[in-house]
Structures are given as C-alpha cells and as structure tokens.
Amino acid sequence: MLSAATVLSIFNWCAVFICILVFLSIFLIIYKCRQELRDASLLLTCNSCFATLLTCVTMWIMTSSNLFTGFLLYNMKFCVAWGVFYDIFECAIYFSYCLQAFYRLCRIVFYTKKFLTSFSLNFILIICQWLLIFAFLIPPGFINWYARLPTENFCLIPYTSVIPEIYHILVLYLIPLICIGTIYIWITRFMRQTSQASTLVIAVIQRQRNQRDLTVIKRIIMLIGVLIVLRFPTIIFMIYAIIVGHTYSLTYGIVGVTTSTCLIFIGFSTIYTTPQLRKRIHDYFVHGNNRVQSERIAMNQVGAPISVIDAINTAHKTKQEVSTTAKNIP
C-alpha cells in the first residue's frame, strides 16, 4: 500500500504536468497571435507565464526525482543548483506581477506619460527584474543554505534554518506583495478621486479606459490572492518547524500540492484576464462551429441539384415506359 507521502507526490507530479500543458497551450496561442506581441501588456503576461512555466518544469523534475531514483542526489552541486533555480523562478512569478501592477499604475495615474507604457521600456524592466532576482537569490547557493531535505530526494533551504528562511520569505514573498498591494491601493484611491471629479477634469474617454482597467485590476487582485495562498503553507510549516525543532513528515508534499494547484489556477486565470488570449480562444471555438455549420450547409446545397436531376431522370424514364406500353396496346 502506498504511503501518504507517495500519494501526495504522485498527485503533485500529475498536477504539475497538467500545469505545464496549460502554459504550453498559452504560448501556442500567443505564437499564433504574435502580431499582437508588440503590446506591452501582452509582453508582461508572457513574462509571468514564462516564469510560471519554468517553475512548473523545475517542480516536475524535483518531484520525479522524489518518486523515482532520486537522480538529483547523484551530484549535490547539481541538486543545490536545481533548488536555487526553483526559488528564482518562483520569485520571478511574484516580481512579474509587480511589473504588471506598475504598468497599470502608469496607464491610469500617469496616463499622460506614454513612454511609461511603451513596449521598449517594459522590455528593459523585465530584463532588470530577472537580473535583480538573480542578484538576490544566487548568492545563497554558495553559502551552504541549501541542503538535501531529510524526507525528500531534492535540495531546498530547510524550514528549520531560521535566518535563511526569513531572508527567503522576505525577498521572494513579502517585498513583491507589499509593492503590489501599495500600487493597487494607489490606483484605487486615484480612481475613486477621479470618479468624483467633474467631466471637465477627466475626459470621458479616459474614464472608460479606467473602467476597463478597473475590471482587469479586479481580476489581477484575484490572482494576487492565489499568490498569497501559494506561499502561505510554507510560512505555517516554517513556524511549526522553528517551534518544534523539526519539520512535519508531510510538509513538502502538502506544500507541493498547494503550489501545483495554485499554478494551474494561475494558468486558467491568465487566459481569462488577458483579452488577447480570451478573444483568440473565443474566436477559435466560434469560428470552428461556424466552419462546421458552413460545411453542412454547403453539402446540403450540393445535394439539392442532384435530387432535382434524379427526379427529372425518373420522370423521363416513366414517360418512356408509358409510351412503350401505349404502343403495345392493340
């Protein structure tokens, strides 16, 4: 009979694999509508999806090592490097949503400064985001913070290491969430003030644009809630490990299942909150149904003349038979 840890690992392995398929499908859709890639908002969405996909792939490899032969442990330097990359990619998810929040701030509050929402500036910000994350999270890989976990076949920072985990939670979790929360509070207050202003101060077009952005912001805040849940079990189990002195046996299995479930939700929510992706999928299904109906109509139209011709031929044959019969009558 399988142990609880093995069952959690199998479930996590399957969930992460589904998540990989979801994000590969998103990139396939983006590739098909790549003429819209010059849109800065879609570029930022691609950045978030890319970070999430890399996180899923890293998780899938780590879970595979845990389920099968423990191949990550054959070389401890490689094992540590894989743990560092997992934290880097997960951190990139949070900071990518910081960039999305900053983009919305520039669109709504600083809408007169068009260069802040330009494609080139946001591309540079994405590069700076990745460099900043590497600068924060690569050094811990060289100071023996990462180690093989006692209950798993991969390497991460143990929850019993207080100072490394505090640094880890601060950089990966608290800083980006505080930035995101501050930006959206700023946007909400600005929109509330402008809604009370007269139409002479704010143009009608800008108000409509703000309403569209508000709808997107509500959906993104939903994603932020998922990001909070994504790391919340880690904090709970870390506090437990510090108090008790050792980690709960199913800690990493529960954290892994929570993470994979949240990442799947992020994938589907990304499709729902991104107009370009949602429109592309909608057009695919709608046009697909219309194409099938058109083919059916075309087949029916082709069949109509054939039926008429058959009726004419039948009538002609009947006429010949009647004439032959009339000649044979004495």
Side-chain angles (χ1 to χ4, degrees), residues 85 112 139 145 160 167 176 232 255 263 274 276:
F85 281 126
T112 57
W145 281 6
T160 52
Y167 176 84
F232 190 72
V255 170
L263 293 180
T274 307
Q276 296 93 331

Side-chain angles (χ1 to χ4, degrees), residues 214-287:
L214 180 60
T215 302
V216 175
I217 288 171
K218 290 179 180 178
R219 295 168 180 171
I220 293 177
I221 289 176
M222 177 180 64
L223 287 176
I224 302 307
V226 177
L227 293 178
I228 294 174
V229 175
L230 182 64
R231 297 299 299 179
F232 190 72
T234 300
I235 298 176
I236 297 299
F237 283 114
M238 185 188 71
I239 295 173
Y240 173 86
I242 293 173
I243 295 175
V244 178
H246 62 85
T247 56
Y248 177 59
S249 59
L250 299 178
T251 292
Y252 296 100
I254 296 173
V255 170
V257 169
T258 304
T259 302
S260 58
T261 304
C262 289
L263 293 180
I264 291 175
F265 185 82
I266 287 175
F268 287 108
S269 298
T270 299
I271 296 174
Y272 178 71
T273 57
T274 307
Q276 296 93 331
L277 299 179
R278 190 172 67 250
K279 180 177 181 298
R280 187 76 182 186
I281 293 177
H282 177 267
D283 291 344
Y284 174 79
F285 285 106
V286 171
H287 291 168

Side-chain angles (χ1 to χ4, degrees), residues 1 3 7 10 14 26 28 47 55 92 99 101 196 211 232 283 293 327:
M1 186 175 180
S3 63
V7 172
I10 293 174
C14 296
I26 291 176
L28 179 62
N47 180 43
T55 303
L99 291 184
Q196 297 173 355
Q211 289 300 320
F232 190 72
D283 291 344
Q293 293 176 1
K327 289 179 181 179

Side-chain angles (χ1 to χ4, degrees), residues 113-296:
K113 300 177 181 179
K114 301 298 182 182
F115 73 95
L116 292 176
T117 58
S118 64
F119 181 91
S120 57
L121 177 62
N122 283 276
F123 183 77
I124 294 173
L125 289 177
I126 289 174
I127 295 176
C128 292
Q129 167 218 302
W130 283 95
L131 293 176
L132 184 65
I133 293 171
F134 276 101
F136 277 140
L137 295 180
I138 283 185
F142 295 97
I143 54 178
N144 298 324
W145 281 6
Y146 288 81
R148 178 192 174 178
L149 301 176
T151 59
E152 312 296 326
N153 289 329
F154 52 81
C155 299
L156 280 176
I157 298 177
Y159 288 170
T160 52
S161 302
V162 180
I163 295 177
E165 277 296 343
I166 291 176
Y167 176 84
H168 185 252
I169 294 297
L170 181 66
V171 172
L172 194 151
Y173 188 70
L174 291 181
I175 291 178
L177 285 182
I178 291 174
C179 292
I180 293 171
T182 302
I183 290 174
Y184 283 124
I185 290 174
W186 187 352
I187 292 174
T188 303
R189 292 186 61 183
F190 176 81
M191 296 183 69
R192 184 175 297 175
Q193 292 173 359
T194 55
S195 64
Q196 297 173 355
S198 63
T199 55
L200 296 177
V201 179
I202 301 296
V204 176
I205 297 177
Q206 182 60 31
R207 281 193 171 188
Q208 294 174 349
R209 187 178 182 182
N210 287 350
Q211 289 300 320
R212 290 195 301 269
D213 287 333
L214 180 60
T215 302
V216 175
I217 288 171
K218 290 179 180 178
R219 295 168 180 171
I220 293 177
I221 289 176
M222 177 180 64
L223 287 176
I224 302 307
V226 177
L227 293 178
I228 294 174
V229 175
L230 182 64
R231 297 299 299 179
F232 190 72
T234 300
I235 298 176
I236 297 299
F237 283 114
M238 185 188 71
I239 295 173
Y240 173 86
I242 293 173
I243 295 175
V244 178
H246 62 85
T247 56
Y248 177 59
S249 59
L250 299 178
T251 292
Y252 296 100
I254 296 173
V255 170
V257 169
T258 304
T259 302
S260 58
T261 304
C262 289
L263 293 180
I264 291 175
F265 185 82
I266 287 175
F268 287 108
S269 298
T270 299
I271 296 174
Y272 178 71
T273 57
T274 307
Q276 296 93 331
L277 299 179
R278 190 172 67 250
K279 180 177 181 298
R280 187 76 182 186
I281 293 177
H282 177 267
D283 291 344
Y284 174 79
F285 285 106
V286 171
H287 291 168
N289 292 332
N290 291 340
R291 186 164 55 252
V292 172
Q293 293 176 1
S294 300
E295 290 176 355
R296 290 179 179 176

Side-chain angles (χ1 to χ4, degrees), residues 23-42:
F23 281 96
L24 287 177
S25 301
I26 291 176
F27 277 108
L28 179 62
I29 297 171
I30 292 175
Y31 175 77
K32 290 186 176 181
C33 60
R34 57 188 179 277
Q35 63 274 8
E36 301 176 11
L37 195 58
R38 298 297 297 180
D39 184 0
S41 63
L42 186 58

